[in-house]
Amino acid sequence: MTMKRNIIAALAFVLVLSFVMSGCSNEKKIIGSWMAADSFINVEYTFNEDSTGSMTAFGVTVDTKYTFTKDVLTLTYSIMNIDTTEVYTVSFNESGHLILTSDDGSSETYIKK
């Protein structure tokens, strides 16, 4: 009975560790510059390790700050003294492309530069 409990405890530990590590890897995966795959606006995001970055659209670049916890990206920036916060659910497809999905269900795919 004790051996069976030890095996179950070890498997549970490995399972929990794999969930924790998968979350960490996504947080590290987002670091870098990403260009919109199918956008006529040519949107580009850059995410730095220190939770700062930039967003470029229509040839204009603004500084950003972000938090990324589990699969939720919260992006803040200011344009013409108007503070904006955007929240996205983050996922990666089988090709490693970043997918940002907004609350309304619309999503954009980004390719790492």
Side-chain angles (χ1 to χ4, degrees):
M1 213 40 128
T2 303
M3 179 67 131
K4 190 175 185 179
R5 286 185 191 168
N6 288 342
I7 291 171
I8 291 171
L11 289 174
F13 176 75
V14 169
L15 184 62
V16 168
L17 185 61
S18 68
F19 282 127
V20 169
M21 294 306 291
S22 70
C24 291
S25 65
N26 278 348
E27 289 175 17
K28 294 289 184 183
K29 263 172 115 170
I30 201 169
I31 303 301
S33 293
W34 299 85
M35 192 161 83
D38 297 318
S39 176
F40 67 93
I41 304 172
N42 295 325
V43 176
E44 183 178 316
Y45 289 105
T46 298
F47 301 103
N48 301 317
E49 287 190 39
D50 65 355
S51 297
T52 64
S54 62
M55 175 183 68
T56 302
F58 297 109
V60 176
T61 301
V62 295
D63 292 330
T64 62
K65 292 184 180 180
Y66 72 94
T67 59
F68 185 39
T69 307
K70 296 187 182 183
D71 64 345
V72 177
L73 173 69
T74 304
L75 186 67
T76 58
Y77 56 91
S78 180
I79 298 177
M80 296 174 51
N81 294 324
I82 298 172
D83 294 330
T84 302
T85 299
E86 297 177 2
V87 179
Y88 299 100
T89 301
V90 173
S91 59
F92 294 89
N93 66 17
E94 62 280 349
S95 299
H97 298 158
L98 171 67
I99 301 169
L100 299 180
T101 304
S102 61
D103 288 340
D104 68 4
S106 63
S107 64
E108 288 284 332
T109 301
Y110 294 85
I111 301 169
K112 197 161 198 172
K113 289 178 70 176

